[in-house]
Amino acid sequence: MQARVPRNDDYLERMRTKSTKPKNSIEEVAKLAGVSITTVSRVINKLPTVTEENRRKVEDAVRKLRFSPSPFAQALAKGKTSGIGLVIPRYEGLFYSFYALELIRGIGTLCDVFKMDLLLHLSDGRSNFNAKSVAGVIFADIITNRSQLEWALRENIPCVVINNYVSDLEVSSISIDNVQGAKEAVKYLIGLGHKKIAHITGDLISQAANQRLEGYKLGIQEAKIKENPDYIIKTDYSRGQARVATEKLLNLSEPPTAIFVASDSMALETVTVIMEKGKKVPGDISIIGFDDNPTSLYGHVALTTVRQPLIRMGEEAVKELNSLIKGKKDITRMVLPTELVVRESCKAIS
Amino acid sequence: MQARVPRNDDYLERMRTKSTKPKNSIEEVAKLAGVSITTVSRVINKLPTVTEENRRKVEDAVRKLRFSPSPFAQALAKGKTSGIGLVIPRYEGLFYSFYALELIRGIGTLCDVFKMDLLLHLSDGRSNFNAKSVAGVIFADIITNRSQLEWALRENIPCVVINNYVSDLEVSSISIDNVQGAKEAVKYLIGLGHKKIAHITGDLISQAANQRLEGYKLGIQEAKIKENPDYIIKTDYSRGQARVATEKLLNLSEPPTAIFVASDSMALETVTVIMEKGKKVPGDISIIGFDDNPTSLYGHVALTTVRQPLIRMGEEAVKELNSLIKGKKDITRMVLPTELVVRESCKAIS
DNA sequence: CTGAAAGCGCTAACAA
DNA sequence: TTGTTAGCGCTTTCAG
């Protein structure tokens, strides 16, 4: 962008300015096309009330001048912006994962389609967007930044939160059915004849990890299997802790015959540890993960897992936010279904 | 943002408008503080020429009104923006990886520090930023979008490209010394007594993969070992192809005693395959990766690897772009060093 | 140190 | 269908 031109633009000043940077505004286009700036504006905004001829003239001029309208002037004059914000918590565990990237993919791609600008904000839970710079914001989970969400809601900014079913706030959320997904996983194991089923949890600071744990418990309960506290090991989603958890499970006097692991990346580690101890997956122990991380396709055995529609979650978030921005009043809490992906890491008990 | 107020704002219209949305502009603040809008502007922009008392009054009013200036009006009036663009190619192989996320982390964090807005653009190689909406742009690699870079350069937008040493364009680039890193890896292996050293490459569409291959060849050459074409297997960075490549290597009549793998995630797969075949890492075959992906810490053996400073690369990119925006004229091509991280997957030959 | 007023580039109401 | 013109909310000159 060019710097402001001083007011007393006498001839010399004009020429100096001109030689460095041509104004390149809608005005130049109008001049070159021989029409008024209004007409140019109309063409830019694809309003129908322009004759074919004028439209052509303007389009030519635009091309010749390589003109593009100033988004700032547009936003200011229109009184609205096409930008949306994406707030991602700077919470290592979450950010490091497969999760964030997939979400960004879904969101970024759809923003392109809707011609919205995507403003990324890696939040440490303190700084905020300028309320006026975005038409709405998407919160990727709300681990450490609930207060920001509340602020945005107070400012009346359309919001949608992802990966978290928010029931105590009037806000749209797109989450996935972790409970159901986990329950299905466990039931699948039970269907295979397993009774000694363990669960390695994720970081219980996150809602997802809690829900998966809940789903696990429900699955066990419904099959009238009594819950064994030794079979539930809490971790922070890291592979390191997955290793420790697996070893703990293996050292039990009565080790499980199947383990439901809260994430694929941990499940991979679990498989590794089991094989190191000379046992087989799924021969001796069945393993089921969660996420459908592409990584889980390779490795010793292709991992049976629960697929969560991350990209779709991102896309739905953009769609919902878009409706909200366009004036939709009622919020929606969408819960996306998961899908059991059967591969090779589970086996019927013999 | 509020909608435009119609021109004929007679009393009733004013009241109606008012009751829905207060104007909340700099003007309101001025009124409440009992000063002119100029003074308010001065306080907002932290100009020194304001008396302590007025400053206080304005700050109070700002707080009371929960006022924040319109970034659009500011950008328009100042003739400049604080936003920078980040273009990430929608190239699956790249985007899926650890790489993109780390980069975003570095960039996002530093943008926060510099108070710059980060506009994310997932590029399919076609659509572009509006030149006027950003003060500069960072290209995360240029696999499929060289033309966009050239366009931006033509438009005189400050640019810096990451992860790619660009020698044929007048553009700043922050890259890493893949050649040196790969060479060091190979030399380390040679120092351990290995002579039969293979290399599983990355996707040679990327500069990084090519340079790693080149470094491998150099390392071999300098040790006067003759290059064995069977020892170089090309892949696309995927774990699937890493598996195939490893099997190929293992089936050679004279299998290598060490393998330099172009990425950690592939190296992990290589280790897995080797162990499946009943061989040991590093007992039978030494493995060295590239990336220092945190994942490589766990698994069968902690992976010896070459660390690349991804976060730093992102940070340097932001810094460089910032200087460019501030008027720096000369470009800089920074090549960041790698670091050999010795862990457990390599062993001296006996 | 302060304030009036002229823009920044564009949109939209209104009149032609 | 077109052009004139008054803003959008802020910064910056210039004259106090």
Side-chain angles (χ1 to χ4, degrees), chain A residues 224-250:
Chain A
K224 315 262 186 248
I225 299 178
K226 77 168 193 319
E227 207 177 299
N228 179 347
D230 289 345
Y231 280 176
I232 299 179
I233 315 261
K234 295 175 184 168
T235 80
D236 62 357
Y237 272 128
S238 77
R239 291 185 76 128
Q241 290 204 17
R243 169 164 288 264
V244 174
T246 308
E247 283 165 352
K248 229 178 256 175
L249 251 19
L250 257 28

Side-chain angles (χ1 to χ4, degrees), chain A residues 202-274:
Chain A
D203 193 335
L204 294 177
I205 196 183
S206 78
Q207 189 186 50
N210 274 297
Q211 292 178 336
R212 290 172 198 178
L213 172 57
E214 188 190 334
Y216 160 81
K217 288 183 175 174
L218 281 177
I220 295 287
Q221 254 171 248
E222 287 184 13
K224 315 262 186 248
I225 299 178
K226 77 168 193 319
E227 207 177 299
N228 179 347
D230 289 345
Y231 280 176
I232 299 179
I233 315 261
K234 295 175 184 168
T235 80
D236 62 357
Y237 272 128
S238 77
R239 291 185 76 128
Q241 290 204 17
R243 169 164 288 264
V244 174
T246 308
E247 283 165 352
K248 229 178 256 175
L249 251 19
L250 257 28
N251 288 334
L252 250 31
S253 59
E254 201 169 0
T257 61
I259 308 176
F260 164 48
V261 189
S263 84
D264 279 1
S265 88
M266 287 201 295
L268 250 26
E269 187 67 19
T270 296
V271 171
T272 299
V273 172
I274 292 174

